[in-house]
Amino acid sequence: MKRTTAAPQDRTVAIIGTRGYPSYYGGFETAVRKLAPYLAARGWNAVVYGRPGAARMDDPARDLRVQLVETKGLETKSLSTLTFGLTSVLHACMQKPDVAIIMNVANGFWLPLLRLRGIPTIVNVDGIEWERAKWGRLAKGVFKLGAHFTARFGTTLIADSVEISRRWKRDFDRESTFIPYGGDIPAELPLVDGLNHRGYVLIVARFVPENSVEEFFEAVPEIAKNFPVVIVGSSGYGGPLDDKAEALSLKHENVHWLGHVSDDAKLLSLWQHCGVYFHGHSVGGTNPALVQAMACGAPTLARDTVYNREVLGPHGRFTAVEPRDVVSSVLELAADVNLQAEASSNGLSRAATTYSWANVCRAYEEEAEKVLRSRHVPARS
């Protein structure tokens, strides 16, 4: 196990369940890039657990006060979260931090170990993982069982949306604290080469069924007759949707597949200047990509779900997911500068008032201080 060093602080918080710090893999990693430096600046000894080689140690934005502990595990689609979570928890049990922040209910299996060591836990339950189409029956069962462990052994639960909080109360009889993801409102960024301001349609998503990627791809040929289409994302493991994205980019000169974009400035620019950002995520709570797109002022068209309506609010723009509906909704927004301006303004306003990282990080620290004051892990029957 490899560990970087930093000066000790009075209070230690361990963050478990991500790929490390700083990492750009997904929403949890984005949250940690914001939260860990915030806690370090507030006097916490912030320790982030991660996977070997997953963190960008040469990142100029890296805060050297944040410690990284790399543990071993099995890097496979089905076992990585469980195995890296276990080794991280075992290491944390030896170090005994004052509080542990846990990402992902799959790590709920290991919460009893932390309880036995008297380490209070704050668990971000994420979305309803066992309803995601990308998982098979066994994986869904594992997530559901992990959720039961989380409900029983987690000290404090964090839900990133009001709807997720409602589901946990209904399904597991556990209260949770609402803390969403945040977004940064960037300065004006230069256009990516070859693109025009408000002149292209953008999708940013991991290639999994619940993100409506396949339906969007079916709509792409019609959209591309009128506007350039920029596709950001991949499955991470290859597969038919990656093949489809490549085929679209080869067949249509107006289609550009960029794969996974880890350059933050480039990704923020793509959101900032697009004419339409299509957000097809259907499962989960507050989606980090959606919040960041709003903070960039992207004119957003979202799949009509209770989660997306919660984030975008009553003035958001929504569509059914059938390809013909996607085509008509995208083309309507892409062709109307007034509608684009309204959608952009709505997103910026909600991002600034409800989804700022400063508020998010402050809320996590408040929960950490609460469990430290109580030092009590509630038992559940």
Side-chain angles (χ1 to χ4, degrees):
M1 298 179 184
K2 181 181 176 183
R3 179 172 184 163
T4 61
T5 59
Q9 305 289 331
D10 292 334
R11 303 170 296 176
T12 298
V13 55
I15 303 177
I16 296 171
T18 74
R19 291 175 178 252
Y21 170 85
S23 175
Y24 290 79
Y25 179 75
F28 279 152
E29 285 74 19
T30 301
V32 170
R33 290 204 317 273
K34 304 297 181 180
L35 179 58
Y38 175 90
L39 292 173
R42 296 279 297 168
W44 293 80
N45 179 25
V47 180
V48 178
Y49 285 84
R51 306 179 187 184
R56 289 173 48 176
M57 305 306 287
D58 59 346
D59 190 334
R62 177 187 166 212
D63 191 320
L64 297 179
R65 294 171 298 185
V66 177
Q67 299 178 56
L68 173 66
V69 177
E70 295 177 342
T71 66
K72 296 181 179 179
L74 300 176
E75 191 61 76
T76 69
K77 183 177 179 180
S78 58
L79 294 175
S80 57
T81 298
L82 287 169
T83 56
F84 282 106
L86 175 58
T87 56
S88 297
V89 165
L90 290 174
H91 189 276
C93 285
M94 292 188 292
Q95 299 299 312
K96 201 172 182 183
D98 296 287
V99 60
I101 297 175
I102 312 295
M103 304 294 196
N104 199 317
V105 296
N107 291 311
F109 292 105
W110 320 130
L111 294 178
L113 301 175
L114 294 167
R115 174 181 285 194
L116 285 172
R117 288 290 286 160
I119 302 168
T121 53
I122 299 168
V123 187
N124 183 319
V125 300
D126 198 26
I128 311 298
E129 285 288 336
W130 50 95
E131 293 182 359
R132 294 187 188 272
K134 70 176 180 178
W135 300 119
R137 181 179 298 179
L138 177 60
K140 289 179 179 179
V142 169
F143 277 114
K144 189 68 176 286
L145 185 57
H148 281 285
F149 271 77
T150 297
R152 180 172 183 181
F153 295 103
T155 311
T156 293
L157 306 188
I158 302 298
D160 63 32
S161 81
V162 174
E163 177 63 18
I164 293 295
S165 184
R166 185 192 68 80
R167 284 289 304 272
W168 274 76
K169 177 61 178 175
R170 187 195 75 184
D171 297 349
F172 302 102
D173 195 27
R174 272 301 303 264
E175 299 290 346
S176 56
T177 300
F178 167 57
I179 305 178
Y181 288 100
D184 292 317
I185 299 177
E188 186 171 348
L189 295 164
L191 275 160
V192 172
D193 288 345
L195 299 176
N196 296 315
H197 179 68
R198 296 291 183 254
Y200 58 95
V201 176
L202 174 69
I203 182 174
V204 179
R206 192 166 300 153
F207 290 179
V208 292
E210 60 267 19
N211 290 348
S212 312
V213 175
E214 186 170 5
E215 292 87 347
F216 181 80
F217 284 176
E218 291 299 316
V220 163
E222 285 298 313
I223 297 170
K225 291 177 181 178
N226 299 275
F227 299 96
V229 178
V230 178
I231 301 169
V232 175
S234 69
S235 68
Y237 296 91
L241 289 176
D242 294 76
D243 295 339
K244 180 70 171 177
E246 183 178 20
L248 286 169
S249 66
L250 292 174
K251 184 176 181 180
H252 304 278
E253 63 178 6
N254 236 7
V255 178
H256 312 278
W257 179 37
L258 306 184
H260 176 71
V261 174
S262 60
D263 181 340
D264 259 10
K266 182 176 183 179
L267 185 56
L268 295 178
S269 173
L270 288 169
W271 271 316
Q272 191 175 73
H273 294 289
C274 70
V276 179
Y277 165 58
F278 174 77
H279 184 80
H281 296 59
S282 62
V283 179
T286 300
N287 183 267
L290 176 56
V291 173
Q292 188 55 67
M294 292 161 58
C296 290
T300 299
L301 175 69
R303 178 170 174 170
D304 195 353
T305 71
V306 64
Y307 307 111
N308 293 337
R309 283 190 174 272
E310 178 184 324
V311 176
L312 284 166
H315 302 296
R317 297 187 65 85
F318 306 96
T319 181
V321 76
E322 291 298 322
R324 64 179 179 274
D325 297 309
V326 174
V327 170
S328 61
S329 298
V330 166
L331 293 180
E332 179 187 17
L333 182 55
D336 192 321
V337 294
N338 293 321
L339 291 179
Q340 290 173 338
E342 290 174 8
S344 174
S345 177
N346 174 65
L348 276 168
S349 176
R350 290 186 65 80
T353 56
T354 307
Y355 299 101
S356 74
W357 277 119
N359 292 338
V360 169
C361 292
R362 187 181 306 115
Y364 269 98
E365 185 183 25
E366 288 173 356
E367 293 304 314
E369 290 175 338
K370 284 180 186 177
V371 297
L372 281 181
R373 285 195 298 269
S374 67
R375 276 296 190 183
H376 174 64
V377 182
R380 290 185 57 79
S381 58

